[in-house]
Amino acid sequence: MTRFLSLITALLIILGASTSCQRSESADASDLLATVPSDASIVAVANVQAMLEKAGCKVSDDQITPSDEITSLIASFKSPQAKAIAEAFFNGKSDIDPSVALIFAEGYYKYVTGIAADPDKFKQTVTSITKQQFAVKDDIDICANVALKGNQFWVNLDANSIDPREAKHFATLSKEQSFLSNAAAERLSTFDSDIVGWANIAGALNASSVDFQQRAMLQVALQTTFNDAADATFQLTFNKGEMTGSMGILNSKGKPAKFLLASQALDMKTMESIGGNADILLAIGIPHKLIEQLQKDTQSKSASLLGVYLQALGAIDGTVAIASDTDGNAIRGTVTTNGQSTGQLTSFLDGLGLSVKLDGNMLQISKGQLTGNTPVTELAADLKGAVAGLAAANPKPGSSTGFEAQLKSFALTLKPASSSIELHLNAKSLQADQNFLLTLLRSADKK
């Protein structure tokens, strides 16, 4: 992998940080989408300039002037490579136009494309880093894994070379052949998040490293839980001390796919009743209707292990919440039941090594002595409004320069969205008054 490839990859990783949402309408995004094949499996667009400006950087005449805070942080980097990559981008030495960047996947390769502020200087930068010279092939300037046509460049992120025929194909697509023919193109050109993307589920899975059996199982699971699950849409927004994102499932008509399973919002009082401190809180709302729905489905088939489990879980009716330490060695939680026939459920939980105590229609479960660093009530607050979710707090904040050590907390939730369900994430950094870009920069400084 060339140093230039690493620079581009780092650029995508540290794409900006916003202090507020600002709707972006960029002709540049449409121009770049016009060079993405219609059969691309993943496409993501980021408004780099807007994000950098909101992070405190100044962008003028295609040049970036970093804030004093970013300059100071980069100067403190222990890793020479991380420092060189960050300095090259933030000091404008890469000669990349800091406006809009786009990454897409086609077949087994991922590409990043953008605009060179000055094509001649851009070529000089690539040559000096790769120690190779540009050569014209099929009317495309090629150097290592970088292709340049006019002022637009493409980088193959999965190889040290790039096929000039592929780059020429990208540059000469008609509207019908390009991603502009996809209904998702408008959303990727006009958006109110820092990064917005689209993926064809089957295509993305086929291009991934997931083996065939696992891909098949994932497809079956999606088709079981969503009606006509075809594509996914996602977005990311970076704020001061926080990163938020979401992902939804679309049907083949580009509309939110209907969620087929019964669901129920998490009960805050049930989660908070666990009490004490923990590092992780996992909760899911399981209405009895869902158990009946799954039991009916399995009864239509031959005997299965799932059917046996569902029989044991038949008494559940409401929120199931479990708090634990980081290693999962100590657990405390509660299971809401319908108060009927809890014997099988109690036996099942006991078989997992859990102590079970009946309290009205609730089963209180425990294992070991739970001692965490964050109140369960605080973790529960991150799951409000969800039907299922995971909230975690860092037990060793600031212990290293790694990304995880820079986080204060992290939450992943499933929330209702009309007739569908969306996946949401929320990551909070230890520096609440600093833009999340700095958290990403710190994690790039690998010792």
Side-chain angles (χ1 to χ4, degrees):
M1 181 180 291
T2 65
R3 286 181 59 202
F4 188 74
L5 185 154
S6 298
L7 186 152
I8 296 297
T9 304
L11 184 154
L12 287 171
I13 293 174
I14 62 177
L15 280 175
S18 66
T19 55
S20 62
C21 285
Q22 175 180 336
R23 190 165 186 80
S24 167
E25 298 189 25
S26 175
D28 289 334
S30 296
D31 292 341
L32 295 180
L33 288 170
T35 65
V36 175
S38 59
D39 62 350
S41 58
I42 302 174
V43 183
V45 181
N47 190 327
V48 183
Q49 179 171 339
M51 292 188 290
L52 289 175
E53 289 176 341
K54 288 181 284 185
C57 298
K58 293 182 179 180
V59 182
S60 61
D61 298 326
D62 299 324
Q63 293 296 314
I64 302 170
T65 302
S67 64
D68 292 340
E69 195 169 26
I70 290 179
T71 300
S72 176
L73 175 60
I74 295 174
S76 69
F77 275 13
K78 301 292 190 302
S79 166
Q81 183 179 24
K83 180 182 290 188
I85 291 172
E87 286 180 340
F89 176 63
F90 283 105
N91 292 337
K93 296 179 180 179
S94 63
D95 293 299
I96 296 173
D97 181 5
S99 54
V100 174
L102 187 151
I103 185 171
F104 66 95
E106 186 195 33
Y108 293 97
Y109 291 123
K110 292 184 292 294
Y111 300 88
V112 61
T113 183
I115 303 300
D118 185 322
D120 290 334
K121 290 184 178 179
F122 176 82
K123 291 167 69 174
Q124 292 174 12
T125 301
V126 176
T127 297
S128 65
I129 293 176
T130 63
K131 308 304 180 184
Q132 299 182 43
Q133 298 296 318
F134 271 91
V136 179
K137 301 178 181 179
D138 289 332
D139 199 32
I140 304 291
D141 287 316
I142 299 291
C143 180
N145 59 339
V146 182
L148 182 68
K149 172 69 173 177
N151 68 342
Q152 185 172 355
F153 67 84
W154 293 266
V155 180
N156 186 330
L157 295 176
D158 294 312
N160 289 328
S161 61
I162 187 168
D163 189 336
R165 294 170 298 181
E166 281 295 301
K168 186 173 184 178
H169 173 61
F170 299 153
T172 57
L173 292 170
S174 66
K175 182 176 181 179
E176 292 71 25
Q177 295 173 318
S178 77
F179 196 79
L180 290 178
S181 63
N182 191 307
E186 181 177 358
R187 183 172 184 274
L188 297 188
S189 299
T190 305
F191 52 95
D192 55 7
S193 299
D194 294 335
I195 300 174
V196 63
W198 169 96
N200 174 265
I201 295 172
L205 287 175
N206 290 337
S208 70
S209 58
V210 179
D211 63 45
F212 177 80
Q213 184 176 4
Q214 290 177 317
R215 294 201 305 269
M217 291 176 63
L218 286 171
Q219 285 282 44
V220 169
L222 280 172
Q223 296 304 329
T224 301
T225 53
F226 291 92
N227 181 38
D228 186 27
D231 303 321
T233 182
F234 57 91
Q235 58 185 5
L236 281 173
T237 299
F238 303 93
N239 298 309
K240 277 190 176 182
E242 184 178 41
M243 175 177 66
T244 60
S246 65
M247 182 179 72
I249 303 298
L250 306 178
N251 59 29
S252 56
K253 295 182 180 180
K255 304 296 183 180
K258 183 179 180 180
F259 189 67
L260 299 175
L261 301 180
S263 61
Q264 181 176 321
L266 296 174
D267 183 70
M268 294 297 295
K269 290 184 178 180
T270 299
M271 292 188 290
E272 292 172 348
S273 69
I274 295 174
N277 295 335
D279 297 321
I280 299 171
L281 177 64
L282 175 65
I284 180 170
I286 306 179
H288 189 65
K289 184 179 179 180
L290 174 60
I291 299 292
E292 293 177 333
Q293 187 177 0
L294 295 174
Q295 286 177 335
K296 182 179 179 180
D297 183 61
T298 56
Q299 286 172 358
S300 63
K301 302 177 177 63
S302 58
S304 66
L305 186 61
L306 176 59
V308 175
Y309 282 135
L310 289 172
Q311 189 66 33
L313 301 177
I316 295 177
D317 187 13
T319 297
V320 176
I322 300 173
S324 75
D325 58 14
T326 303
D327 300 323
N329 294 322
I331 291 173
R332 186 162 67 239
T334 183
V335 180
T336 307
T337 77
N338 55 15
Q340 302 174 6
S341 304
T342 59
Q344 276 190 293
L345 179 57
T346 300
S347 178
F348 172 76
L349 295 172
D350 184 67
L352 297 177
L354 301 172
S355 296
V356 184
K357 178 182 178 181
L358 180 62
D359 182 11
N361 69 331
M362 312 294 289
L363 291 181
Q364 307 297 341
I365 60 176
S366 62
K367 175 185 175 182
Q369 186 66 36
L370 180 60
T371 56
N373 294 277
T374 303
V376 170
T377 53
E378 188 175 317
L379 294 172
D382 288 336
L383 305 184
K384 186 176 182 179
V387 298
L390 169 70
N394 194 340
K396 298 179 181 179
S399 58
S400 71
T401 57
F403 177 67
E404 296 85 356
Q406 300 299 316
L407 294 180
K408 176 184 178 182
S409 64
F410 176 86
L412 201 60
T413 56
L414 290 174
K415 294 184 176 182
S418 186
S419 62
S420 192
I421 291 284
E422 290 183 346
L423 177 69
H424 290 257
L425 73 86
N426 180 282
K428 296 178 181 178
S429 72
L430 294 171
Q431 295 77 31
D433 61 336
Q434 295 179 353
N435 206 285
F436 206 88
L437 172 62
L438 299 180
T439 298
L440 296 176
L441 282 174
R442 286 190 183 89
S443 66
D445 183 23
K446 300 290 180 63
K447 294 184 179 181

